[in-house]
Amino acid sequence: MRLDIITVHPPLLESPFSHSILKRAIDKGLVEVNVINLRDYAHNKHRSVDDYAYGGGAGMVMMIEPIAVCIDELKSQRSYDEIIYMSPDGELFDQSLANQLSLKKNLILLCGHYKGVDERVREHFITREISIGNYVLSGGELAAAVVADAVIRLLPGVLGDETSALSDSFQDNFIAPPVYTRPADFKGWKIPDILLSGHEANIAQWRYDQSLARTKVRRPELLKKH
Ligand code: ADE
């Protein structure tokens, strides 16, 4: 998979891809992540990427021209499955969308800033808009990092234990069961006996029951999707 992330603040996207699982995925060649500085495509005097809104009002708007030049250049090099605009008014990101995106080959993520992008960018370049939640961030960078993380960890070979992504919370619309590690008794707080029984089938059943019970209490709306 290749992810091209277009941003006016490249440093915001350095850390998420420089550590842990995402770094390993990149080092192993399982994903290529390119952070592209939109200012490099601003061919005006001040390399500006934003301007005042037509019709007035507070807040700047990201101009179409640098974005068009950037996306056209990328598209001339390869074809893209989706050109995604990170926006609070996009479709809500969830595990199912992460699964869908993990099957794609080339993706562009465009990070918005200020009051957003000139509407013509959305009309003519963007194939999908994604929001990571019903709140407004200062820009799309952190949202793009969230989407990239959720997608990249699903790529084959990224997680050491191939099954561990499958048992994540939400992968089957269930919340994950509780987990414990040593010590088995911490100041009298004991772990459930079943986990020490060594009986794999009973443990699997217990985990399933716990997942279901937790989902019913904490996130009943997930069960309706079943
Ligand atoms: N940009 C600003 N807020 C956002 C959000 N909630 N999701 C995606 N992109 C955003």
Side-chain angles (χ1 to χ4, degrees):
M1 170 180 280
R2 178 188 168 110
L3 270 182
D4 291 319
I5 310 181
I6 304 172
T7 170
V8 285
H9 294 300
L12 276 178
L13 286 158
E14 275 166 20
S15 171
F17 299 106
S18 308
H19 304 278
S20 185
I21 289 172
L22 300 192
K23 178 180 192 299
R24 211 172 338 124
I26 293 166
D27 290 347
K28 278 200 212 166
L30 301 170
V31 63
E32 186 181 338
V33 178
N34 298 296
V35 176
I36 298 163
N37 189 346
L38 185 61
R39 261 177 230 289
D40 293 343
Y41 296 85
H43 300 311
N44 49 55
K45 208 165 117 203
H46 301 289
R47 290 179 82 211
S48 58
V49 291
D50 61 324
D51 208 337
Y52 296 102
Y54 273 121
M60 305 293 275
V61 176
M62 287 173 73
M63 297 187 292
I64 189 169
E65 209 167 3
I67 296 172
V69 174
C70 179
I71 292 180
D72 280 342
E73 185 182 303
L74 291 171
K75 280 166 78 175
S76 73
Q77 290 158 2
R78 68 196 64 77
S79 65
Y80 285 89
D81 299 290
E82 300 275 12
I83 301 179
I84 298 168
Y85 176 48
M86 303 309 305
S87 160
D89 38 87
E91 85 189 272
L92 264 189
F93 189 60
D94 63 7
Q95 190 64 45
S96 152
L97 187 44
N99 291 347
Q100 283 176 50
L101 294 178
S102 73
L103 302 173
K104 310 288 187 192
K105 200 159 164 271
N106 298 317
L107 298 173
I108 292 177
L109 300 182
L110 171 64
C111 304
H113 254 274
Y114 321 112
K115 275 278 168 214
V117 292
D118 186 307
E119 188 64 20
R120 291 166 291 183
V121 171
R122 299 164 86 157
E123 286 167 6
H124 299 286
F125 291 101
I126 298 301
T127 62
R128 188 160 213 161
E129 305 196 359
I130 295 179
S131 163
I132 62 159
N134 292 328
Y135 39 79
V136 180
L137 301 167
S138 319
E141 285 77 11
L142 299 183
V146 165
V147 168
D149 185 304
V151 169
I152 291 169
R153 64 194 297 289
L154 295 172
L155 300 177
V158 169
L159 295 184
D161 174 359
E162 290 272 354
T163 62
S164 66
L166 294 175
S167 60
D168 285 341
S169 275
F170 297 113
Q171 194 52 255
D172 46 13
N173 278 329
F174 277 17
I175 296 222
V179 291
Y180 301 88
T181 187
R182 286 188 291 185
D185 183 338
F186 178 72
K187 298 182 179 175
W189 299 334
K190 297 199 174 81
I191 71 165
D193 287 339
I194 179 111
L195 296 177
L196 297 170
S197 69
H199 195 300
E200 273 183 39
N202 287 356
I203 291 172
Q205 183 65 47
W206 178 85
R207 287 186 169 142
Y208 177 83
D209 294 343
Q210 289 285 322
S211 283
L212 186 58
R214 281 197 163 195
T215 311
K216 273 186 189 156
V217 172
R218 296 182 187 201
R219 301 295 304 276
E221 79 281 5
L222 294 176
L223 294 172
K224 292 194 196 104
K225 290 191 187 167
H226 262 261

